[in-house]
Amino acid sequence: MKDFFLSIIIPAYNEEEVLNQTIERLTAVMEREEYHYELLFVNDGSKDATLRLLEEASAKDERIKYLSFSRNFGHQAAVSAGIDACTGDAVVIIDADLQDPPEVIPQMVALWQEGNDVVYGKRKSRDGESFFKTFTAKAFYRVLNSLSSVDIPLDTGDFRLIDRKVADVLRGLPEKNRFLRGLVSWIGFRQVPCEFSRDARAAGETKYTMKKMINLAIDGILSFSSAPLRLMAKFGFLIVFISAALFVYTIVSLCLGSTAAGWASLMTVITFFGGTNFVAIGLLGEYVARIYDEAKGRPNYIVDKRGNFKDE
Ligand code: UDP
Ligand code: MG
């Protein structure tokens, strides 16, 4: 047995098709490496048999623990709950669908033992994902990095190993609408990549709907950058300049006796600025809403059931 304790956090939302396979593969790796470990599943309000499978598995093996939410709170909340509840010296966050191969964990552990505090999985390739998803993911990370002051490594997801001290810092952050990979980069400490090829989903379909992906992208950008606000202000200045120029042009053409006609062009300008006004107000609203969320101080998730926790 190794002399450290490893926590594996696995968020699961409607993963009945793949769950048992995930448990088997994770357990196989853990046994082979002779780790002292816990598999901490977080059932994010699944509507299928995920919870029942977890109850069964945890009844057979006390190293399999679970938390079950009162409803679907989202992937980031599920991972946060896992981080809050786990006790490992090192914590690995991995998807339930086997897209992040459990066999990479020993490499991460080795890098951690060399003294690194965060070992993040870096995707060399992505199997079984549409061109659209790969493209939007790539574009998203690049836009985010150009907008924010923290450098979030390109092409990384939440598959990573973090040291206990990083987990403790994360636990202490009161922030809502979390974008964990950004927070982890922001925290600092020694961070190194660990390359792997992202497999196709072992079974089932993606639980990250388009809506959830867009929400995550918005959370990522708004929590790590106020550049969109500044961009709006700059844009406003640009428009003021343009309208000043237009004003001069109108005066000059009036003096020269030629009146500038054009209902269509006028409408274009009015609707354009009407539109940009709405975008700017909406953007402000987004930031205000986030302040509102923080002010309400509601928890990020609500736990309904727990299984195999010692203090029960
Ligand atoms: N997930 C979750 N809550 C959600 C959506 C997803 O806990 O609301 C989990 C899901 O079960 C999986 C992980 O988050 O373990 C990643 O989701 P998925 O594989 O569907 O996303 P993708 O790999 O397609 O980006
Ligand atoms: Mg997946």
Side-chain angles (χ1 to χ4, degrees):
M1 278 284 177
K2 305 269 166 63
D3 59 353
F4 57 85
F5 187 61
L6 193 61
S7 293
I8 313 284
I9 296 174
I10 314 113
Y13 176 53
N14 294 343
E15 300 286 7
E16 62 179 6
E17 286 169 80
V18 55
L19 202 71
N20 282 332
Q21 209 183 326
T22 308
I23 295 176
E24 266 168 40
R25 258 179 71 187
L26 277 167
T27 309
V29 172
M30 298 293 117
E31 299 285 321
R32 195 183 65 214
E33 299 291 323
E34 303 189 323
Y35 290 142
H36 190 43
Y37 71 96
E38 63 181 356
L39 300 185
L40 202 171
F41 286 86
V42 184
N43 171 36
D44 185 11
S46 301
K47 294 176 185 67
D48 64 359
T50 301
L51 178 59
R52 188 175 50 79
L53 294 177
L54 286 176
E55 284 167 347
E56 285 169 14
S58 61
K60 279 185 238 146
D61 184 344
E62 60 171 12
R63 292 166 303 187
I64 299 177
K65 305 179 180 179
Y66 69 86
L67 292 175
S68 183
F69 285 176
S70 59
R71 63 168 170 85
N72 180 247
F73 279 90
H75 175 227
Q76 302 289 302
V79 175
S80 302
I83 293 174
D84 293 346
C86 73
T87 52
D89 301 306
V91 182
V92 173
I93 299 155
I94 188 167
D95 282 356
D97 60 1
L98 294 171
Q99 273 193 291
D100 307 325
E103 292 71 26
V104 177
I105 296 175
Q107 291 170 37
M108 291 185 160
V109 170
L111 284 164
W112 169 66
Q113 288 185 305
E114 285 170 19
N116 297 295
D117 302 307
V118 174
V119 184
Y120 52 88
K122 193 168 163 63
R123 300 159 185 159
K124 266 192 305 201
S125 64
R126 292 172 153 230
D127 277 351
E129 286 188 332
S130 64
F131 169 76
F132 178 74
K133 179 141 188 170
T134 319
F135 176 78
T136 47
K138 275 201 157 60
F140 167 69
Y141 285 114
R142 281 164 184 80
V143 170
L144 182 58
N145 274 347
S146 65
L147 289 181
S148 75
S149 50
V150 286
D151 256 332
I152 299 164
L154 298 177
D155 304 320
T156 61
D158 283 321
F159 181 34
R160 57 186 63 214
L161 178 149
I162 59 178
D163 185 76
R164 168 67 12 208
K165 61 187 178 194
V166 179
D168 284 341
V169 175
L170 277 175
R171 284 173 71 167
L173 294 178
E175 186 160 339
K176 307 280 179 294
N177 302 313
R178 281 158 173 247
F179 182 63
L180 281 166
R181 55 203 89 155
L183 286 177
V184 171
S185 300
W186 175 83
I187 288 173
F189 296 110
R190 279 185 65 166
Q191 312 213 356
V192 285
C194 174
E195 290 208 333
F196 74 102
S197 327
R198 189 155 159 95
D199 295 334
R201 226 175 201 282
E205 280 176 358
T206 178
K207 305 300 176 308
Y208 253 99
T209 53
M210 195 60 172
K211 194 171 140 202
K212 283 186 176 170
M213 246 165 71
I214 292 174
N215 282 336
L216 183 70
I218 293 177
D219 276 344
I221 290 179
L222 297 192
S223 330
F224 282 91
S225 160
S226 42
L229 285 177
R230 186 161 309 154
L231 196 71
M232 273 299 151
K234 284 182 183 161
F235 187 63
F237 277 118
L238 182 72
I239 288 173
V240 169
F241 272 115
I242 293 174
S243 63
L246 274 174
F247 179 70
V248 172
Y249 171 74
T250 323
I251 299 288
V252 170
S253 37
L254 257 177
C255 295
L256 297 178
S258 65
T259 42
W263 181 82
S265 54
L266 202 62
M267 282 314 276
T268 319
V269 172
I270 290 174
T271 48
F272 175 69
F273 291 127
T276 41
N277 265 324
F278 272 111
V279 172
I281 294 170
L283 194 59
L284 268 176
E286 277 290 331
Y287 284 97
V288 175
R290 302 172 80 78
I291 299 173
Y292 181 47
D293 268 350
E294 300 292 339
K296 280 185 293 193
R298 288 185 190 153
N300 274 323
Y301 54 84
I302 297 167
V303 176
D304 174 23
K305 290 202 182 97
R306 293 145 61 90
N308 275 348
F309 281 87
K310 288 275 174 331
D311 51 0
E312 275 173 48

